[in-house]
Amino acid sequence: MGTTTDTERSDEMAPVEREPRPVRDPNSTWVRVRGPLRTIGFYTLLVVVLVPFLFVFYYMVTTSLMSPVDITAADHQWTFTPTLDNYRAVFEQTDFVRFALNSLVIAAGALVISWVVGLPAAYAVARWNVPKFALIILSSRITPGITFLIPWFILFSRAGLIDSYRGMIAVHLIVVLPLVTWLMISFFEELPTEVLESAAVDGASVFRTFLLVALPMVRGGLVASSIVGFIFSWNHFMFSIPISGRSTETLPVAVFNFMSYGQVNWGAIAAAATLMVLPVVAMALAVQRHIVRGLAIGAVKG
Amino acid sequence: MASEVATQGEGPSGPPGSRGSRGLGDRVASFVDRHVVGVFVSPGVAFVVVMMAFPVAYTLYLSVHEWVGGIDQPPQFVGLDNFQRLLEDQRFLLALGRTFLFTGVAITFQTVLGVAIAVFLHREFRARGMIRSIMLMPMIATPVAIALIFRLMFQPQLGILNDILTSIGMPPLAWTSSASTALWSLAAVDVWEWTPLIALITLAGLSALPEEPLEAASVDGANGWQRFWFVILPMVRPVVIIAVVFRLIEALKTFDIILVITQGGPGFATETLNIYVYNTTFQYMRFGYSAAMLIVYFLVVLGCAVLLLRFRRAKD
């Protein structure tokens, strides 16, 4: 006999048929929703739970489509005539495209180096079981970022790396590299060892096996971890503020700086925020499972 | 972590291959493999060591120096003066307290809500995939963008939160404009952002649990609440604790939303350690003093993580 796990509505829930397996697969559940009233009750509560999460995004998008009059009105305007003026303002009054390109270039640079440096490391850790090395790479994720930000700032200032792509890519790499490495470890671990070993028996060097046998087999994982790494770089803020300058400002830094210039144009801010969030959310939905794993790296394995 | 990094170095010799060596060919292959581990791993490890061990050592060096006013100035050795000054620095001590308060409030709410949502969602229904997508959005959306939108929502006149409050007959709140509510408002943003992570991790934990204990409990006549409290919760607790430890370490480091929404204000009402260190460095350029703070800060984060993991082991 199955049971409900929800405390408040347990008396309303229908008993469910028993499943014979002792350990359940990830998609199965204890409770099935049955009966029209229960269904309505459940979905009502579901909406109540989810509305707060969605509302902020709804507010962001609607504000970005409002005219200044509607935004500053005494009461919130639930109905309004949408306008694209705010988006026009973002593109005309700021170098939005250039900031987006900066974000893109820096994330791409960090990703490519993460592939070159992180993929072999992940492969070695997964194949020869040397978690110690992986933990060293992970330690950058656990230490408060500001601990190394300040020495970097001083060093980068001396070396002339402030406001350079090289400097920005280096600091973003410390975010992206552990992520890509750790996600790839689990993809490499799933590979059947026999295939890799038979390649070795056939005389392929370890490097060739890695490059020509293992990598093609994890290309799905490579796409997923790259998207996750890209998102983390795109979102990153703290390291970028002191290390970036006029010519290497990433989107979050630039949009944050909009606020400092005199009057705050909330419509344009909302439009910029929407433009910044949109690609990330779109990409995130494509690789859902890996995002949560990426966010929980260190929690799960550390 | 730091000392581990420092002492590990980038030694290219990995542990011996775990595959048993059978013949001569295998032994040769295993010999090659052993070096390959080093070759494959060292670039990544070297990068992290250079990027982290150096800063940690440099921070230690800076912490015993007075260095004010810009990177052109020469640092002067002052011994432990910086640390002594920290103990008398009200602003530091209050920031430390606020860091704990913010973290405590945020973590408590997101844990309770997250577990409740996970238990509520752990059933079969249509649109499970959609729910997952919606829950993913707060934690993946660019924090600066989210913080800007919350900053607008919190505006006493413009923002929507007070419009909603007054429309249901409640008095408007000052949110982030008053020192008494600002830190709580920021904690609410953190709860909004990270409750889904706790929920999703707990949900994954719930899915992996066996159902026999629950069946036994209901056969024994346990009601919904009893089943939750005495059966489900103990089984899923290890997963929840890991999620909480992780979130706790992250919450101690919260930066984006505080800097964007309040910059530590009004007054110093939301100035946590992270923000204070940041301002000390990049606004006042007091590198030596901020380095001393960083060391305390690092020890605090590390201490919290170790304590919690101890606690977890003791419970298991």
Side-chain angles (χ1 to χ4, degrees):
Chain A
M1 180 70 65
T3 54
T4 170
T5 55
D6 183 13
T7 53
E8 278 162 20
R9 349 196 101 233
S10 56
D11 45 340
E12 293 173 24
M13 304 310 300
V16 297
E17 66 226 36
R18 178 180 180 153
E19 283 201 20
R21 270 166 304 153
V23 176
R24 332 193 93 244
D25 74 278
N27 294 319
S28 76
T29 51
W30 284 317
V31 178
R32 230 174 278 264
V33 183
R34 285 271 170 81
L37 263 183
R38 274 160 216 137
T39 308
I40 292 169
F42 171 76
Y43 281 102
T44 311
L45 203 58
L46 191 64
V47 169
V48 171
V49 167
L50 292 179
V51 158
F53 295 120
L54 276 178
F55 181 77
V56 175
F57 294 97
Y58 164 82
Y59 187 65
M60 177 175 78
V61 173
T62 51
T63 305
S64 77
L65 296 170
M66 279 184 186
S67 66
V69 181
D70 286 325
I71 293 174
T72 50
D75 293 313
H76 183 71
Q77 304 295 299
W78 293 97
T79 54
F80 60 92
T81 319
T83 164
L84 288 176
D85 284 354
N86 294 321
Y87 289 91
R88 214 165 292 141
V90 166
F91 286 112
E92 281 171 7
Q93 290 164 21
T94 74
D95 283 334
F96 193 87
V97 175
R98 191 166 59 84
F99 302 136
L101 280 177
N102 281 345
S103 280
L104 213 67
V105 166
I106 291 160
L111 256 183
V112 169
I113 301 176
S114 294
W115 291 336
V116 174
V117 172
L119 291 178
Y123 180 71
V125 169
R127 243 199 115 193
W128 296 290
N129 193 27
V130 280
K132 212 182 271 173
F133 291 114
L135 276 177
I136 294 175
I137 294 175
L138 187 68
S139 59
S140 60
R141 190 81 200 269
I142 298 158
T143 322
I146 200 156
T147 317
F148 29 87
L149 180 61
I150 290 167
W152 286 346
F153 174 72
I154 296 169
L155 186 82
F156 282 23
S157 302
R158 292 238 159 116
L161 284 171
I162 300 287
D163 197 15
S164 73
Y165 285 113
R166 273 178 301 162
M168 286 294 280
I169 289 172
V171 297
H172 277 243
L173 196 52
I174 208 89
V175 178
V176 178
L177 177 66
L179 204 63
V180 170
T181 307
W182 273 80
L183 285 175
M184 288 314 292
I185 289 173
S186 42
F187 287 111
F188 281 124
E189 272 171 350
E190 284 161 18
L191 289 183
T193 333
E194 301 80 48
V195 179
L196 303 175
E197 268 163 12
S198 75
V201 169
D202 290 348
S205 72
V206 186
F207 186 72
R208 276 179 71 91
T209 310
F210 161 69
L211 206 64
L212 301 176
V213 182
L215 263 187
M217 286 168 81
V218 293
R219 58 181 182 275
L222 188 58
V223 171
S225 65
S226 299
I227 290 177
V228 177
F230 180 87
I231 291 172
F232 273 66
S233 169
W234 181 273
N235 284 351
H236 210 271
F237 181 54
M238 185 168 73
F239 295 168
S240 307
I241 325 173
I243 306 293
S244 75
R246 287 202 151 275
S247 58
T248 53
E249 261 180 347
T250 56
L251 264 187
V253 179
V255 175
F256 173 66
N257 285 341
F258 293 171
M259 311 260 335
S260 328
Y261 305 142
Q263 187 117 32
V264 177
N265 179 354
W266 283 112
I269 295 278
T274 308
L275 290 170
M276 192 158 40
V277 166
L278 216 62
V280 169
V281 168
M283 280 190 280
L285 297 186
V287 287
Q288 297 198 20
R289 237 159 25 92
H290 307 296
I291 298 272
V292 176
R293 249 206 301 183
L295 285 164
I297 277 175
V300 181
K301 307 229 172 177
Chain B
M1 303 312 117
S3 59
E4 196 178 310
V5 171
T7 52
Q8 280 300 337
E10 58 235 63
S13 59
S18 52
R19 310 180 306 153
S21 45
R22 279 148 283 161
L24 183 70
D26 281 272
R27 230 176 283 162
V28 171
S30 134
F31 175 81
V32 173
D33 285 354
R34 223 175 298 158
H35 283 272
V36 160
V37 171
V39 172
F40 274 27
V41 172
S42 357
V45 171
F47 171 78
V48 172
V49 169
V50 167
M51 287 294 268
M52 289 192 43
F54 163 74
V56 170
Y58 195 58
T59 303
L60 280 170
Y61 164 83
L62 281 181
S63 68
V64 290
H65 285 77
E66 171 83 300
W67 188 5
V68 188
I71 57 161
D72 319 323
Q73 307 296 318
Q76 304 206 321
F77 182 77
V78 291
L80 293 176
D81 276 11
N82 284 328
F83 291 96
Q84 201 173 343
R85 240 184 298 161
L86 272 182
L87 294 175
E88 292 150 18
D89 183 355
Q90 277 294 316
R91 194 171 160 188
F92 169 77
L93 296 173
L94 286 171
L96 185 64
R98 267 181 226 116
T99 305
F100 283 123
L101 181 64
F102 172 87
T103 304
V105 169
I107 295 298
T108 306
F109 277 93
Q110 60 199 238
T111 305
V112 171
L113 284 173
V115 171
I117 290 175
V119 169
F120 170 66
L121 290 178
H122 187 65
R123 69 192 69 207
E124 252 170 57
F125 60 92
R126 249 172 254 181
R128 274 173 69 96
M130 205 186 73
I131 304 308
R132 208 192 160 87
S133 307
I134 291 173
M135 303 236 296
L136 205 68
M137 286 167 64
M139 48 179 153
I140 208 59
T142 312
V144 170
I146 292 305
L148 288 167
I149 297 308
F150 268 99
R151 183 164 163 172
L152 173 59
M153 290 171 68
F154 283 140
Q155 301 282 311
Q157 308 297 329
L158 282 182
I160 194 165
L161 292 178
N162 276 346
D163 285 331
I164 293 174
L165 281 185
T166 46
S167 73
I168 58 171
M170 308 240 298
L173 286 172
W175 303 104
T176 50
S177 4
S178 148
S180 56
T181 49
L183 198 66
W184 293 81
S185 304
L186 291 180
V189 180
D190 194 73
V191 170
W192 177 85
E193 208 179 337
W194 294 110
T195 295
L197 183 67
I198 304 246
L200 289 178
I201 294 177
T202 309
L203 206 52
L206 284 170
S207 304
L209 291 181
E211 63 182 320
E212 274 70 30
L214 256 190
E215 285 171 9
S218 45
V219 168
D220 291 344
N223 66 28
W225 177 252
Q226 287 168 329
R227 283 193 300 257
F228 170 73
W229 195 253
F230 296 109
V231 184
I232 298 174
L233 209 53
M235 285 201 296
V236 83
R237 195 177 56 201
V239 177
V240 175
I241 289 181
I242 290 175
V244 169
V245 170
F246 174 71
R247 270 305 306 147
L248 187 114
I249 294 170
E250 293 280 297
L252 286 170
K253 299 191 271 183
T254 304
F255 181 78
D256 296 14
I257 59 169
I258 302 178
L259 191 78
V260 174
I261 298 178
T262 64
Q263 271 103 57
F268 299 119
T270 56
E271 189 178 74
T272 55
L273 223 47
N274 228 345
I275 303 290
Y276 184 34
V277 175
Y278 186 82
N279 286 337
T280 311
T281 311
F282 296 109
Q283 229 172 302
Y284 309 128
M285 298 276 183
R286 298 178 61 189
F287 297 124
Y289 193 54
S290 61
M293 264 193 277
L294 281 179
I295 287 168
V296 175
Y297 184 30
F298 176 74
L299 291 176
V300 164
V301 174
L302 196 68
C304 283
V306 169
L307 264 181
L308 260 145
L309 288 170
R310 278 266 164 77
F311 168 79
R312 174 172 158 244
R313 241 170 258 142
K315 277 260 178 181
D316 285 348

